[in-house]
């Protein structure tokens, strides 16, 4: 029997990335609601702020050990060409720094470690995150370009075989997934910059809220069972 929406939701939420995207949605929806209600309904805004903070801390707990994902990616499939291997090393190294120091940020924010460490850990974590995302974005754009060229060759060859049509379908599906990854990484890069170099644009609640939701919903799309 084919999986229906409830089946797919159960599968989605059973994944670490699935529950992370759901709680990330809570986190950034609450950020926007807090911004909207802060001036007019301060008591409600304070409760919403607690929801936002709790969601952010919960996500950090869920990500325990996540830095091993990047290490395993480099160990198992670092890339098909020297260029992709180089980009993979830089991207995954940045991501490993992000997730590793995120552990200390979480522990300092819940009071297990000195709360004064939080700012330093946040900076290091955000810097690694942003550094890694730049190279993930570059890699995805290179693969998207290669896919467009391969698709163009298949279309211009006017080959009508089942294999050719299936290859075109796979290229298009891969392109959509990579565009979703780029959207998520760009959105997370904005959030990272807000930590590294605070500024009125990146640190505005609306910018952070929209960026967080773009990242979360792109993640929903990529991780949703087919």
């Amino acid at each position: 029997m084919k999986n229906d929406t409830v089946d797919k939701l159960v599968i989605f939420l059973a994944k670490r990335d699935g529950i992370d995207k759901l709680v990330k949605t809570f986190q950034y929806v609450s950020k926007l609601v807090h911004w909207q209600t802060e001036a007019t309904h301060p008591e409600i805004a304070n409760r919403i702020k607690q929801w936002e903070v709790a969601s952010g801390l919960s996500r950090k707990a869920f990500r325990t050990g996540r830095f091993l994902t990047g290490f395993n990616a480099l160990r198992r499939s670092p890339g098909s060409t020297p260029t992709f291997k180089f980009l993979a090393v830089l991207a995954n190294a940045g991501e490993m720094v992000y997730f590793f120091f995120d552990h200390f940020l979480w522990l300092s924010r819940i009071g297990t470690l000195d709360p004064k460490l939080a700012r330093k850990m946040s900076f290091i974590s955000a810097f690694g995150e942003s550094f890694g995302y730049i190279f993930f974005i570059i890699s995805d754009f290179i693969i998207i370009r290669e896919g467009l060229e391969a698709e163009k060759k298949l279309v211009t060859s006017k080959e009508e075989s089942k294999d050719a049509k299936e290859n075109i379908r796979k290229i298009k599906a891969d392109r959509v997934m990579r565009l979703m990854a780029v959207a998520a990484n760009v959105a997370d890069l904005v959030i990272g910059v807000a930590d590294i170099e605070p500024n009125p644009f990146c640190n505005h609640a609306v910018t952070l809220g929209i960026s967080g939701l773009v990242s979360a919903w792109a993640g929903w799309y990529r991780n949703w069972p087919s």
Side-chain angles (χ1 to χ4, degrees), residues 2-15 17-19 177 218-226:
K2 188 177 180 181
N3 288 343
D4 61 15
T5 302
V6 175
D7 292 322
K8 291 179 179 181
L9 182 60
V10 169
I11 294 167
F12 176 77
L13 293 177
K15 301 176 183 177
D17 278 347
I19 196 71
M177 287 298 185
W220 273 80
Y221 186 90
R222 293 173 65 211
N223 287 285
W224 189 256
S226 56

Side-chain angles (χ1 to χ4, degrees), residues 2-225:
K2 188 177 180 181
N3 288 343
D4 61 15
T5 302
V6 175
D7 292 322
K8 291 179 179 181
L9 182 60
V10 169
I11 294 167
F12 176 77
L13 293 177
K15 301 176 183 177
R16 174 152 60 173
D17 278 347
I19 196 71
D20 179 68
K21 301 315 172 196
L22 175 63
V23 179
K24 190 171 189 176
T25 300
F26 294 159
Q27 180 183 358
Y28 287 98
V29 165
S30 59
K31 179 176 281 293
L32 290 171
V33 174
H34 173 264
W35 171 76
Q36 183 66 29
T37 59
E38 190 175 15
T40 54
H41 301 88
E43 186 178 339
I44 293 173
N46 184 54
R47 293 179 182 179
I48 295 296
K49 185 65 179 178
Q50 290 174 355
W51 186 24
E52 178 196 341
V53 172
S55 296
L57 291 174
S58 297
R59 290 184 61 228
K60 292 184 186 306
F62 297 148
R63 294 199 293 258
T64 302
R66 180 70 183 272
F67 69 94
L68 292 170
T69 303
F71 172 73
N72 205 44
L74 291 176
R75 193 170 68 97
R76 293 294 184 185
S77 52
S80 56
T81 67
T83 298
F84 282 120
K85 286 178 182 176
F86 176 71
L87 291 171
V89 167
L90 294 175
N92 284 285
E95 190 177 68
M96 282 189 283
V97 168
Y98 161 43
F99 286 125
F100 183 76
F101 283 92
D102 206 42
H103 293 78
F104 300 107
L105 174 57
W106 169 53
L107 291 171
S108 61
R109 283 191 173 162
I110 63 174
T112 305
L113 296 179
D114 186 349
K116 292 178 182 177
L117 287 171
R119 183 67 201 122
K120 185 180 288 185
M121 295 300 104
S122 179
F123 179 87
I124 296 171
S125 179
F127 185 85
E129 177 186 24
S130 301
F131 181 86
Y133 286 148
I134 289 168
F135 295 102
F136 278 126
I137 291 167
I138 293 170
S139 296
D140 280 326
F141 273 130
I142 291 172
I143 294 171
I144 288 169
R145 187 192 65 191
E146 290 177 350
L148 287 168
E149 290 171 355
E151 182 183 352
K152 186 177 179 181
K153 285 179 183 177
L154 287 168
V155 171
T156 53
S157 69
K158 296 182 180 178
E159 190 177 342
E160 297 293 334
S161 69
K162 273 189 177 181
D163 285 345
K165 290 180 180 178
E166 180 63 16
N167 285 337
I168 290 173
R169 187 194 67 77
K170 286 179 179 177
I171 290 169
K172 287 181 177 179
D174 181 73
R175 181 159 65 241
V176 171
M177 287 298 185
R178 292 192 182 279
L179 286 171
M180 289 294 108
V182 168
N185 288 336
V186 169
D188 284 330
L189 184 58
V190 171
I191 296 170
V193 169
D195 261 338
I196 298 166
E197 190 64 42
N199 61 83
F201 175 74
C202 290
N203 289 79
H204 195 284
V206 174
T207 304
L208 291 172
I210 291 173
S211 297
L213 291 177
V214 166
S215 174
W217 292 341
W220 273 80
Y221 186 90
R222 293 173 65 211
N223 287 285
W224 189 256

